[in-house]
Amino acid sequence: MWYVIQVLSGQEDKACELINLHAAGELSRDGRPVLKECFVPRYQVERKFHGQYRTLTRNLFPGYVIAVTNRVGELNDRLGRIPTFTRMLGSEKSFVPLDRSERAFINAFTTEKHRTIHLSKAVMEGDEVVVTEGPMIGREGWITEVNRRKGTARVEVNMFGRTINVEIGLAIVGRRPEK
């Protein structure tokens, strides 16, 4: 199961390192690993510096990391040993894993050990965005807003039990003439 861990914003990588240090490779009482994977979901974006474009990565969900485990109670016990703020999301009675559609959103764009959404490229056809390259091909309907200057698109998804707008990289590379 996938669980969301809230951490200090800007400290996602450090928190993931500490979680891996305290839980990865550790075995539970029944001999199974406590932690399968801990990752920070990211996306690529292009920025122009001194006339040249560079590909950068940004956090998809600032302030959150995702842990994959079947031993949530034992993982939570190990989180208590981490000196920085970490808290598993859930209700008062239990920790709530991501549901199938939330996992599917992340898995649609990433793979295990490589949790970065690659930059998509698109052209404008009138007022419509047509993705020509990258993971957003065929998913134009998900896009709610495009910021051409920043090279990003906002995508509305259900995540963490609510609807949120997520920013991903989308470079508009041209305009097709209207038909």
Side-chain angles (χ1 to χ4, degrees):
M1 304 297 271
W2 291 23
Y3 294 89
V4 179
I5 301 172
Q6 185 179 14
V7 300
L8 292 173
S9 190
Q11 299 292 313
E12 297 87 356
D13 290 326
K14 183 178 180 182
C16 219
E17 260 180 54
L18 289 170
I19 292 166
N20 278 316
L21 179 70
H22 287 278
E26 296 271 327
L27 298 178
S28 65
R29 290 178 216 88
D30 63 0
R32 292 185 179 172
V34 172
L35 180 69
K36 181 178 178 188
E37 181 184 9
C38 181
F39 63 93
V40 180
R42 302 179 188 282
Y43 67 95
Q44 289 181 336
V45 65
E46 282 186 343
R47 293 286 194 265
K48 196 172 189 176
F49 294 99
H50 306 292
Q52 302 231 338
Y53 282 98
R54 285 193 204 157
T55 302
L56 306 174
T57 57
R58 299 278 187 249
N59 292 343
L60 189 61
F61 308 115
Y64 298 99
V65 299
I66 296 176
V68 181
T69 183
N70 288 325
R71 305 284 176 256
V72 67
E74 292 179 55
L75 176 61
N76 190 52
D77 291 343
R78 284 171 173 78
L79 290 179
R81 300 178 198 160
I82 297 174
T84 60
F85 173 78
T86 57
R87 179 178 71 90
M88 293 188 76
L89 296 187
S91 67
E92 290 179 18
K93 297 179 182 177
S94 66
F95 303 109
V96 179
L98 292 179
D99 68 28
R100 181 176 296 158
S101 65
E102 293 168 330
R103 291 189 317 267
F105 170 76
I106 295 170
N107 278 330
F109 300 109
T110 67
T111 59
E112 188 174 335
K113 307 294 182 205
H114 187 77
R115 298 295 187 176
T116 302
I117 300 173
H118 291 285
L119 178 71
S120 292
K121 296 188 178 181
V123 295
M124 297 298 293
E125 275 187 9
D127 291 339
E128 298 293 316
V129 175
V130 179
V131 179
T132 59
E133 186 179 319
M136 286 299 293
I137 287 179
R139 295 181 171 105
E140 291 88 351
W142 293 11
I143 298 171
T144 59
E145 180 184 333
V146 174
N147 185 328
R148 292 181 71 170
R149 186 182 62 77
K150 290 174 79 176
T152 60
R154 289 225 167 255
V155 178
E156 192 172 274
V157 295
N158 290 318
M159 190 66 65
F160 313 139
R162 62 184 192 269
T163 301
I164 61 173
N165 282 310
V166 177
E167 189 173 78
I168 59 170
L170 180 70
I172 303 295
V173 295
R175 181 173 284 282
R176 285 188 185 161
E178 293 186 43
K179 296 176 184 178

